Amino acid sequence: MSESVLVLGAGFAGLELATSLSEVFGDEAGVTLVDGGEAFVFGYSKLDVMFGRAEPDEVQLPYARFAKRGVRFLNETITGIDPEARRATTDAGEYEADILVVALGAEYDREATPGLVLGENEFYSVAGAERLREVLPAFRNGRAVVGVCGAPFKCPPAPSEAALLLHDYLSERGVRDECEIVLAMPFETPVPPSPDTSAALLDAFAERGIEFVGGHEVASVDQARNVVVLDGGEELACDLFLGVPKHRAAGVVLESGMAEDGYVPVDSRTLETRFPGVYAVGDVATVGVPKAGVFSEGAARVVASAIIAARTGAAPPDPFDGRGACYVEFGAGRIGRVDVDFLSGPRPTGTFQQPSAALVAEKKHFGSSRRERWFGG
Ligand SMILES: Cc1cc2nc3c(=O)[nH]c(=O)nc-3n(C[C@H](O)[C@H](O)[C@H](O)COP(=O)(O)OP(=O)(O)OC[C@H]3O[C@@H](n4cnc5c(N)ncnc54)[C@H](O)[C@@H]3O)c2cc1C
Protein backbone atom coordinates (compact mmCIF):
# COMPACT_ATOMS: atom_id res chain seq x y z
CA MET A 1 0.00 0.00 0.00
CA SER A 2 1.49 3.35 -1.07
CA GLU A 3 1.98 6.10 1.43
CA SER A 4 -0.60 8.88 1.27
CA VAL A 5 0.59 12.40 0.47
CA LEU A 6 -1.09 15.57 1.73
CA VAL A 7 0.01 18.68 -0.17
CA LEU A 8 -0.91 22.05 1.32
CA GLY A 9 -1.03 24.79 -1.32
CA ALA A 10 -1.59 24.54 -5.08
CA GLY A 11 0.88 27.08 -6.43
CA PHE A 12 3.92 26.32 -8.58
CA ALA A 13 5.18 23.80 -6.02
CA GLY A 14 1.94 22.01 -5.13
CA LEU A 15 0.69 21.79 -8.71
CA GLU A 16 3.99 20.38 -9.95
CA LEU A 17 4.28 17.87 -7.11
CA ALA A 18 0.73 16.57 -7.51
CA THR A 19 1.09 16.40 -11.30
CA SER A 20 4.40 14.50 -11.11
CA LEU A 21 2.97 11.89 -8.73
CA SER A 22 -0.19 11.50 -10.81
CA GLU A 23 1.88 11.04 -13.94
CA VAL A 24 3.79 8.12 -12.42
CA PHE A 25 1.15 6.44 -10.25
CA GLY A 26 -2.15 7.37 -11.91
CA ASP A 27 -5.14 6.32 -9.81
CA GLU A 28 -2.76 5.03 -7.12
CA ALA A 29 -1.07 8.40 -6.55
CA GLY A 30 -2.81 8.85 -3.20
CA VAL A 31 -2.48 12.64 -3.21
CA THR A 32 -4.74 15.15 -1.48
CA LEU A 33 -4.07 18.73 -2.63
CA VAL A 34 -5.61 21.59 -0.64
CA ASP A 35 -5.86 25.25 -1.63
CA GLY A 36 -8.15 28.01 -0.42
CA GLY A 37 -8.02 30.05 -3.62
CA GLU A 38 -10.34 29.83 -6.61
CA ALA A 39 -7.61 29.94 -9.24
CA PHE A 40 -3.88 29.85 -9.90
CA VAL A 41 -2.34 33.02 -11.34
CA PHE A 42 1.24 33.30 -12.64
CA GLY A 43 3.10 35.99 -10.67
CA TYR A 44 4.11 37.89 -13.80
CA SER A 45 0.47 38.14 -14.90
CA LYS A 46 0.02 40.72 -12.14
CA LEU A 47 2.20 43.12 -14.14
CA ASP A 48 0.10 42.43 -17.24
CA VAL A 49 -3.08 43.16 -15.32
CA MET A 50 -1.71 46.31 -13.69
CA PHE A 51 -0.60 47.81 -17.00
CA GLY A 52 -3.77 46.78 -18.83
CA ARG A 53 -1.95 44.22 -21.02
CA ALA A 54 -4.34 41.45 -19.90
CA GLU A 55 -7.84 41.31 -18.46
CA PRO A 56 -8.04 40.03 -14.85
CA ASP A 57 -10.19 37.01 -15.78
CA GLU A 58 -7.86 36.05 -18.66
CA VAL A 59 -5.01 35.30 -16.28
CA GLN A 60 -6.95 33.12 -13.84
CA LEU A 61 -6.51 29.37 -14.15
CA PRO A 62 -9.47 28.03 -12.14
CA TYR A 63 -8.74 25.05 -9.93
CA ALA A 64 -12.02 23.60 -11.16
CA ARG A 65 -10.00 22.73 -14.29
CA PHE A 66 -7.31 20.88 -12.34
CA ALA A 67 -8.13 17.18 -12.74
CA LYS A 68 -5.41 14.58 -12.26
CA ARG A 69 -5.77 10.88 -11.70
CA GLY A 70 -5.10 9.90 -8.12
CA VAL A 71 -5.28 13.51 -6.88
CA ARG A 72 -8.16 14.72 -4.76
CA PHE A 73 -8.36 18.51 -4.89
CA LEU A 74 -9.97 20.24 -1.91
CA ASN A 75 -10.93 23.87 -2.22
CA GLU A 76 -10.62 24.59 1.52
CA THR A 77 -8.78 27.05 3.73
CA ILE A 78 -6.17 25.54 5.99
CA THR A 79 -6.58 26.74 9.56
CA GLY A 80 -4.08 24.56 11.40
CA ILE A 81 -1.05 22.35 10.72
CA ASP A 82 0.31 19.76 13.13
CA PRO A 83 3.68 18.68 11.71
CA GLU A 84 4.23 16.01 14.40
CA ALA A 85 0.99 14.27 13.43
CA ARG A 86 1.29 15.22 9.71
CA ARG A 87 -2.20 16.60 10.01
CA ALA A 88 -3.95 19.68 8.61
CA THR A 89 -7.20 21.21 9.74
CA THR A 90 -9.30 23.19 7.29
CA ASP A 91 -12.55 25.14 7.42
CA ALA A 92 -14.23 21.90 6.30
CA GLY A 93 -12.39 19.01 7.93
CA GLU A 94 -9.23 17.36 9.18
CA TYR A 95 -6.73 15.40 7.05
CA GLU A 96 -3.77 13.21 7.93
CA ALA A 97 -1.22 11.53 5.70
CA ASP A 98 2.00 9.55 5.75
CA ILE A 99 3.78 12.40 4.00
CA LEU A 100 2.95 16.06 4.50
CA VAL A 101 4.19 18.70 2.06
CA VAL A 102 3.77 22.34 3.03
CA ALA A 103 3.73 24.46 -0.14
CA LEU A 104 1.80 27.50 1.05
CA GLY A 105 4.01 30.16 -0.54
CA ALA A 106 4.81 33.55 0.96
CA GLU A 107 2.20 36.03 2.10
CA TYR A 108 2.32 39.74 2.62
CA ASP A 109 2.77 41.28 6.03
CA ARG A 110 0.10 43.95 6.30
CA GLU A 111 1.42 45.37 9.58
CA ALA A 112 5.08 45.69 8.61
CA THR A 113 5.00 48.91 6.56
CA PRO A 114 2.83 51.76 7.81
CA GLY A 115 0.87 53.30 4.93
CA LEU A 116 1.22 50.24 2.70
CA VAL A 117 -2.31 48.95 2.17
CA LEU A 118 -2.68 45.46 0.73
CA GLY A 119 -4.88 45.45 -2.34
CA GLU A 120 -4.41 49.18 -2.80
CA ASN A 121 -0.91 50.55 -3.34
CA GLU A 122 0.96 47.31 -4.02
CA PHE A 123 1.09 45.20 -7.17
CA TYR A 124 2.14 41.85 -5.69
CA SER A 125 -1.40 40.60 -5.02
CA VAL A 126 -4.07 40.10 -7.67
CA ALA A 127 -6.31 42.59 -5.84
CA GLY A 128 -3.50 45.15 -5.72
CA ALA A 129 -2.72 44.78 -9.43
CA GLU A 130 -6.41 45.17 -10.27
CA ARG A 131 -6.74 48.26 -8.10
CA LEU A 132 -3.62 49.95 -9.54
CA ARG A 133 -4.92 49.22 -13.02
CA GLU A 134 -7.81 51.57 -12.15
CA VAL A 135 -5.52 54.18 -10.55
CA LEU A 136 -2.81 54.38 -13.23
CA PRO A 137 -4.87 56.09 -15.97
CA ALA A 138 -5.34 59.11 -13.68
CA PHE A 139 -1.58 59.51 -13.13
CA ARG A 140 -0.46 62.18 -15.58
CA ASN A 141 2.25 64.08 -13.75
CA GLY A 142 4.38 63.86 -10.65
CA ARG A 143 6.61 61.21 -9.22
CA ALA A 144 5.96 57.48 -9.16
CA VAL A 145 7.97 55.35 -6.75
CA VAL A 146 8.28 51.61 -7.28
CA GLY A 147 9.40 50.56 -3.81
CA VAL A 148 10.32 47.31 -2.10
CA CYS A 149 9.45 47.11 1.60
CA GLY A 150 11.75 44.25 2.59
CA ALA A 151 13.78 41.24 1.45
CA PRO A 152 13.36 38.45 0.63
CA PHE A 153 10.66 39.21 -1.91
CA LYS A 154 9.26 37.16 -4.78
CA CYS A 155 10.90 37.34 -8.19
CA PRO A 156 13.74 39.80 -7.56
CA PRO A 157 13.66 41.23 -11.14
CA ALA A 158 9.92 42.11 -10.89
CA PRO A 159 10.31 45.62 -9.37
CA SER A 160 12.79 46.52 -12.12
CA GLU A 161 10.35 45.18 -14.70
CA ALA A 162 7.56 47.25 -13.14
CA ALA A 163 9.64 50.45 -13.44
CA LEU A 164 10.47 49.74 -17.10
CA LEU A 165 6.89 48.83 -17.98
CA LEU A 166 5.67 51.97 -16.21
CA HIS A 167 8.00 53.98 -18.45
CA ASP A 168 6.37 52.37 -21.53
CA TYR A 169 2.89 52.90 -20.13
CA LEU A 170 3.44 56.61 -19.49
CA SER A 171 5.24 57.09 -22.82
CA GLU A 172 2.37 55.48 -24.74
CA ARG A 173 -0.01 57.90 -23.05
CA GLY A 174 2.21 60.86 -23.96
CA VAL A 175 2.79 61.95 -20.34
CA ARG A 176 6.26 60.50 -19.65
CA ASP A 177 7.94 63.93 -19.72
CA GLU A 178 5.64 65.14 -16.96
CA CYS A 179 6.44 62.16 -14.72
CA GLU A 180 9.45 60.92 -12.78
CA ILE A 181 10.05 57.26 -11.98
CA VAL A 182 12.13 56.12 -9.00
CA LEU A 183 12.89 52.51 -8.09
CA ALA A 184 13.95 51.83 -4.48
CA MET A 185 15.03 48.38 -3.33
CA PRO A 186 17.08 46.78 -0.56
CA PHE A 187 19.69 45.29 -2.91
CA GLU A 188 22.63 47.45 -4.00
CA THR A 189 22.12 46.28 -7.59
CA PRO A 190 18.91 45.11 -9.32
CA VAL A 191 19.87 41.41 -9.59
CA PRO A 192 22.85 40.84 -7.24
CA PRO A 193 23.93 37.33 -8.37
CA SER A 194 24.29 38.51 -11.97
CA PRO A 195 26.39 41.67 -12.45
CA ASP A 196 25.68 41.52 -16.22
CA THR A 197 21.91 41.50 -15.68
CA SER A 198 22.23 44.32 -13.17
CA ALA A 199 24.38 46.34 -15.59
CA ALA A 200 21.87 45.83 -18.43
CA LEU A 201 19.01 46.94 -16.17
CA LEU A 202 20.94 49.98 -14.87
CA ASP A 203 21.70 50.94 -18.50
CA ALA A 204 18.01 50.58 -19.35
CA PHE A 205 17.06 52.77 -16.36
CA ALA A 206 19.63 55.42 -17.37
CA GLU A 207 18.40 55.45 -21.00
CA ARG A 208 14.84 56.01 -19.79
CA GLY A 209 15.57 58.49 -17.00
CA ILE A 210 14.53 56.07 -14.23
CA GLU A 211 16.29 56.79 -10.93
CA PHE A 212 17.59 53.72 -9.11
CA VAL A 213 17.96 53.90 -5.31
CA GLY A 214 19.74 50.72 -4.23
CA GLY A 215 20.48 49.48 -0.72
CA HIS A 216 17.33 50.90 0.85
CA GLU A 217 13.94 49.46 1.60
CA VAL A 218 10.75 51.43 2.09
CA ALA A 219 10.03 51.79 5.82
CA SER A 220 6.71 53.63 5.52
CA VAL A 221 4.40 55.36 3.09
CA ASP A 222 2.88 58.66 4.15
CA GLN A 223 -0.03 59.20 1.80
CA ALA A 224 -1.13 62.41 3.54
CA ARG A 225 2.24 64.08 2.92
CA ASN A 226 2.90 62.29 -0.39
CA VAL A 227 6.23 60.86 0.73
CA VAL A 228 7.86 57.48 1.00
CA VAL A 229 10.26 57.10 3.92
CA LEU A 230 13.28 54.87 3.38
CA ASP A 231 14.92 52.77 6.11
CA GLY A 232 17.67 55.38 6.66
CA GLY A 233 15.06 58.11 7.22
CA GLU A 234 15.47 59.70 3.79
CA GLU A 235 12.17 60.86 2.29
CA LEU A 236 11.21 60.55 -1.37
CA ALA A 237 8.40 62.69 -2.75
CA CYS A 238 5.79 60.30 -4.12
CA ASP A 239 2.53 60.94 -5.96
CA LEU A 240 1.97 57.31 -6.90
CA PHE A 241 3.33 54.35 -4.95
CA LEU A 242 3.68 50.95 -6.59
CA GLY A 243 4.74 48.82 -3.66
CA VAL A 244 6.19 45.40 -3.03
CA PRO A 245 5.03 44.45 0.47
CA LYS A 246 7.22 42.80 3.05
CA HIS A 247 6.78 39.01 2.82
CA ARG A 248 6.46 36.20 5.35
CA ALA A 249 4.99 32.71 5.51
CA ALA A 250 1.23 32.39 5.94
CA GLY A 251 -0.10 32.83 9.48
CA VAL A 252 -1.11 29.18 9.67
CA VAL A 253 2.52 28.20 9.03
CA LEU A 254 3.89 30.64 11.61
CA GLU A 255 1.42 29.28 14.17
CA SER A 256 2.36 25.65 13.43
CA GLY A 257 5.75 25.94 15.11
CA MET A 258 7.52 24.98 11.88
CA ALA A 259 8.83 28.46 11.03
CA GLU A 260 11.96 30.31 12.13
CA ASP A 261 12.52 33.94 11.12
CA GLY A 262 9.31 33.93 9.09
CA TYR A 263 9.87 30.79 6.99
CA VAL A 264 10.29 27.03 7.38
CA PRO A 265 13.90 25.85 7.59
CA VAL A 266 14.68 22.81 5.44
CA ASP A 267 17.60 20.74 4.28
CA SER A 268 18.16 22.55 1.00
CA ARG A 269 19.23 19.34 -0.77
CA THR A 270 16.09 17.33 0.09
CA LEU A 271 13.52 19.93 1.29
CA GLU A 272 12.95 17.87 4.44
CA THR A 273 11.95 19.75 7.57
CA ARG A 274 13.04 18.69 11.05
CA PHE A 275 9.73 16.79 11.34
CA PRO A 276 9.91 13.22 9.97
CA GLY A 277 7.86 12.79 6.79
CA VAL A 278 7.26 16.54 6.47
CA TYR A 279 8.64 18.61 3.60
CA ALA A 280 8.41 22.36 2.94
CA VAL A 281 8.70 23.40 -0.68
CA GLY A 282 8.78 26.71 -2.52
CA ASP A 283 8.46 30.24 -1.17
CA VAL A 284 7.34 29.00 2.25
CA ALA A 285 10.77 27.49 2.95
CA THR A 286 14.22 28.87 3.64
CA VAL A 287 16.23 27.05 1.01
CA GLY A 288 18.90 29.56 0.04
CA VAL A 289 17.33 30.33 -3.34
CA PRO A 290 15.20 33.31 -4.43
CA LYS A 291 11.46 33.18 -4.02
CA ALA A 292 10.39 32.39 -7.57
CA GLY A 293 8.10 29.90 -9.24
CA VAL A 294 10.88 28.27 -11.16
CA PHE A 295 12.65 27.31 -7.90
CA SER A 296 9.40 26.21 -6.21
CA GLU A 297 8.74 23.93 -9.15
CA GLY A 298 12.32 22.57 -9.22
CA ALA A 299 12.21 21.80 -5.50
CA ALA A 300 8.81 20.10 -5.90
CA ARG A 301 10.31 17.81 -8.54
CA VAL A 302 13.01 16.72 -6.11
CA VAL A 303 10.38 15.85 -3.47
CA ALA A 304 8.27 14.04 -6.08
CA SER A 305 11.32 12.03 -7.13
CA ALA A 306 12.08 11.14 -3.51
CA ILE A 307 8.51 9.89 -2.99
CA ILE A 308 8.63 7.95 -6.27
CA ALA A 309 12.00 6.43 -5.32
CA ALA A 310 10.72 5.37 -1.90
CA ARG A 311 7.66 3.71 -3.43
CA THR A 312 9.36 2.00 -6.35
CA GLY A 313 12.75 1.20 -4.87
CA ALA A 314 14.46 3.43 -7.46
CA ALA A 315 17.64 5.34 -6.62
CA PRO A 316 17.02 8.49 -4.58
CA PRO A 317 17.05 11.72 -6.60
CA ASP A 318 19.99 14.07 -7.01
CA PRO A 319 19.88 16.87 -4.47
CA PHE A 320 18.09 20.12 -5.33
CA ASP A 321 20.57 22.16 -7.36
CA GLY A 322 19.12 25.64 -6.78
CA ARG A 323 19.33 26.48 -10.47
CA GLY A 324 16.69 28.36 -12.40
CA ALA A 325 16.07 30.70 -15.31
CA CYS A 326 14.14 33.93 -14.88
CA TYR A 327 12.85 36.00 -17.77
CA VAL A 328 13.33 39.74 -17.41
CA GLU A 329 11.04 42.22 -19.18
CA PHE A 330 12.96 45.25 -20.41
CA GLY A 331 9.90 47.00 -21.83
CA ALA A 332 9.02 47.65 -25.46
CA GLY A 333 8.30 43.91 -25.78
CA ARG A 334 11.95 42.99 -25.10
CA ILE A 335 12.70 40.04 -22.82
CA GLY A 336 16.09 38.92 -21.50
CA ARG A 337 16.94 35.98 -19.30
CA VAL A 338 19.11 35.34 -16.28
CA ASP A 339 20.19 31.82 -15.37
CA VAL A 340 21.06 31.68 -11.70
CA ASP A 341 22.78 29.01 -9.69
CA PHE A 342 22.39 29.43 -5.95
CA LEU A 343 23.56 26.21 -4.41
CA SER A 344 26.30 24.49 -6.35
CA GLY A 345 29.18 26.92 -5.73
CA PRO A 346 30.49 28.93 -2.79
CA ARG A 347 28.32 31.91 -3.80
CA PRO A 348 25.35 32.50 -6.12
CA THR A 349 26.17 33.16 -9.76
CA GLY A 350 24.08 34.33 -12.71
CA THR A 351 24.50 34.42 -16.47
CA PHE A 352 22.69 37.00 -18.55
CA GLN A 353 21.21 36.61 -22.03
CA GLN A 354 20.42 39.85 -23.86
CA PRO A 355 16.79 40.41 -24.86
CA SER A 356 15.85 38.64 -28.10
CA ALA A 357 12.84 37.49 -30.09
CA ALA A 358 13.71 33.90 -29.14
CA LEU A 359 13.40 34.77 -25.45
CA VAL A 360 10.00 36.39 -26.01
CA ALA A 361 8.84 33.07 -27.48
CA GLU A 362 10.54 31.15 -24.67
CA LYS A 363 8.74 33.09 -21.92
CA LYS A 364 5.45 32.51 -23.69
CA HIS A 365 6.23 28.81 -23.79
CA PHE A 366 7.18 28.87 -20.08
CA GLY A 367 3.61 29.94 -19.28
CA SER A 368 1.75 27.86 -21.85
CA SER A 369 3.65 24.66 -21.06
CA ARG A 370 2.79 24.91 -17.34
CA ARG A 371 -0.80 25.81 -18.13
CA GLU A 372 -1.03 22.77 -20.37
CA ARG A 373 0.74 20.41 -17.95
CA TRP A 374 -1.24 21.39 -14.87
CA PHE A 375 -4.63 22.41 -16.27
CA GLY A 376 -4.75 20.75 -19.69
CA GLY A 377 -5.76 22.37 -22.96
C1 LIG B 1 4.82 40.47 -9.84
C2 LIG B 1 5.40 39.09 -9.76
C3 LIG B 1 6.11 38.56 -10.84
C4 LIG B 1 6.65 37.28 -10.78
N1 LIG B 1 7.32 36.78 -11.87
C5 LIG B 1 7.85 35.54 -11.81
C6 LIG B 1 8.52 34.99 -12.94
O1 LIG B 1 8.61 35.62 -14.01
N2 LIG B 1 9.06 33.75 -12.82
C7 LIG B 1 8.95 33.02 -11.67
O2 LIG B 1 9.47 31.90 -11.61
N3 LIG B 1 8.33 33.52 -10.58
C8 LIG B 1 7.77 34.76 -10.64
N4 LIG B 1 7.11 35.26 -9.54
C9 LIG B 1 7.15 34.52 -8.26
C10 LIG B 1 6.18 33.38 -8.20
O3 LIG B 1 4.86 33.81 -8.48
C11 LIG B 1 6.22 32.74 -6.81
O4 LIG B 1 7.54 32.64 -6.36
C12 LIG B 1 5.59 31.36 -6.88
O5 LIG B 1 4.20 31.49 -7.10
C13 LIG B 1 5.85 30.56 -5.61
O6 LIG B 1 5.28 29.29 -5.75
P1 LIG B 1 4.82 28.47 -4.45
O7 LIG B 1 4.18 27.23 -4.95
O8 LIG B 1 5.95 28.36 -3.50
O9 LIG B 1 3.74 29.41 -3.75
P2 LIG B 1 2.41 30.04 -4.38
O10 LIG B 1 2.42 29.97 -5.86
O11 LIG B 1 2.27 31.36 -3.73
O12 LIG B 1 1.27 29.06 -3.88
C14 LIG B 1 0.86 28.99 -2.54
C15 LIG B 1 -0.60 28.55 -2.51
O13 LIG B 1 -0.98 28.34 -1.14
C16 LIG B 1 -2.32 28.76 -0.99
N5 LIG B 1 -2.55 29.08 0.42
C17 LIG B 1 -1.85 29.92 1.22
N6 LIG B 1 -2.38 29.92 2.46
C18 LIG B 1 -3.42 29.06 2.45
C19 LIG B 1 -4.34 28.60 3.44
N7 LIG B 1 -4.29 29.03 4.70
N8 LIG B 1 -5.28 27.71 3.07
C20 LIG B 1 -5.35 27.23 1.80
N9 LIG B 1 -4.50 27.62 0.84
C21 LIG B 1 -3.56 28.52 1.16
C22 LIG B 1 -2.46 29.98 -1.90
O14 LIG B 1 -3.82 30.16 -2.28
C23 LIG B 1 -1.55 29.60 -3.07
O15 LIG B 1 -2.28 29.05 -4.16
C24 LIG B 1 6.52 36.52 -9.59
C25 LIG B 1 5.79 37.04 -8.51
C26 LIG B 1 5.22 38.29 -8.59
C27 LIG B 1 4.42 38.80 -7.42
Side-chain angles (χ1 to χ4, degrees):
M1 163 85 182
S2 290
E3 293 184 310
S4 56
V5 183
L6 176 58
V7 184
L8 308 181
F12 266 90
L15 289 169
E16 180 58 26
L17 179 55
T19 302
S20 300
L21 294 177
S22 172
E23 227 169 33
V24 173
F25 298 113
D27 293 340
E28 306 304 315
V31 176
T32 300
L33 175 62
V34 191
D35 200 290
E38 290 292 314
F40 173 76
V41 176
F42 286 105
Y44 56 74
S45 298
K46 293 166 191 167
L47 293 172
D48 294 333
V49 167
M50 174 165 75
F51 290 114
R53 307 194 313 176
E55 294 304 313
D57 55 359
E58 266 170 17
V59 302
Q60 311 257 346
L61 294 166
Y63 287 125
R65 274 173 46 196
F66 179 85
K68 298 284 174 197
R69 287 172 61 202
V71 180
R72 173 171 63 142
F73 183 85
L74 301 174
N75 194 200
E76 297 174 16
T77 298
I78 299 145
T79 52
I81 304 170
D82 179 345
E84 308 265 5
R86 296 187 292 274
R87 180 189 307 132
T89 311
T90 73
D91 51 358
E94 207 170 78
Y95 307 93
E96 264 181 31
D98 301 307
I99 296 168
L100 175 66
V101 184
V102 180
L104 291 168
E107 275 194 358
Y108 306 129
D109 186 348
R110 63 181 69 230
E111 311 298 332
T113 312
L116 189 282
V117 184
L118 293 186
E120 220 169 87
N121 53 2
E122 51 77 26
F123 60 96
Y124 259 48
S125 69
V126 173
E130 287 183 7
R131 157 92 180 132
L132 286 170
R133 171 195 179 90
E134 303 303 320
V135 168
L136 275 166
F139 181 68
R140 291 188 189 87
N141 54 56
R143 190 192 245 190
V145 177
V146 179
V148 178
C149 301
F153 59 94
K154 295 180 201 181
C155 191
S160 300
E161 297 178 302
L164 292 165
L165 294 173
L166 178 61
H167 167 87
D168 281 4
Y169 177 85
L170 297 173
S171 303
E172 279 156 23
R173 288 177 43 231
V175 296
R176 178 65 181 99
D177 290 344
E178 280 70 58
C179 302
E180 289 174 65
I181 303 175
V182 181
L183 168 61
M185 63 158 67
F187 306 150
E188 296 291 344
T189 58
V191 181
S194 172
D196 289 347
T197 310
S198 292
L201 283 167
L202 290 170
D203 282 351
F205 299 155
E207 277 164 21
R208 293 160 176 80
I210 296 170
E211 186 187 343
F212 178 74
V213 180
H216 288 286
E217 59 192 41
V218 171
S220 64
V221 183
D222 188 338
Q223 303 216 39
R225 290 197 303 127
N226 281 9
V227 295
V228 160
V229 184
L230 300 181
D231 50 4
E234 190 195 338
E235 294 190 347
L236 300 175
C238 174
D239 301 297
L240 172 70
F241 185 60
L242 305 182
V244 175
K246 203 165 181 152
H247 292 29
R248 60 162 173 72
V252 69
V253 175
L254 301 179
E255 287 153 20
S256 72
M258 301 180 75
E260 281 171 25
D261 297 328
Y263 298 98
V264 182
V266 291
D267 179 332
S268 40
R269 295 162 305 173
T270 61
L271 294 312
E272 287 166 311
T273 69
R274 65 191 169 88
F275 300 94
V278 182
Y279 296 85
V281 187
D283 288 356
V284 73
T286 302
V287 187
V289 300
K291 300 209 176 295
V294 66
F295 295 105
S296 299
E297 185 187 277
R301 285 199 200 112
V302 171
V303 174
S305 300
I307 295 171
I308 293 164
R311 283 188 189 177
T312 61
D318 290 336
F320 180 46
D321 60 9
R323 292 201 187 122
C326 293
Y327 300 97
V328 186
E329 294 247 7
F330 277 76
R334 298 167 73 240
I335 295 178
R337 174 174 148 169
V338 55
D339 289 80
V340 283
D341 177 346
F342 268 76
L343 297 178
S344 62
R347 69 183 70 82
T349 56
T351 315
F352 179 57
Q353 286 182 46
Q354 291 288 348
S356 68
L359 289 176
V360 173
E362 223 184 86
K363 181 173 178 182
K364 211 168 165 192
H365 178 72
F366 176 86
S368 61
S369 58
R370 270 88 189 154
R371 198 166 54 232
E372 176 89 17
R373 174 168 167 74
W374 297 333
F375 293 92

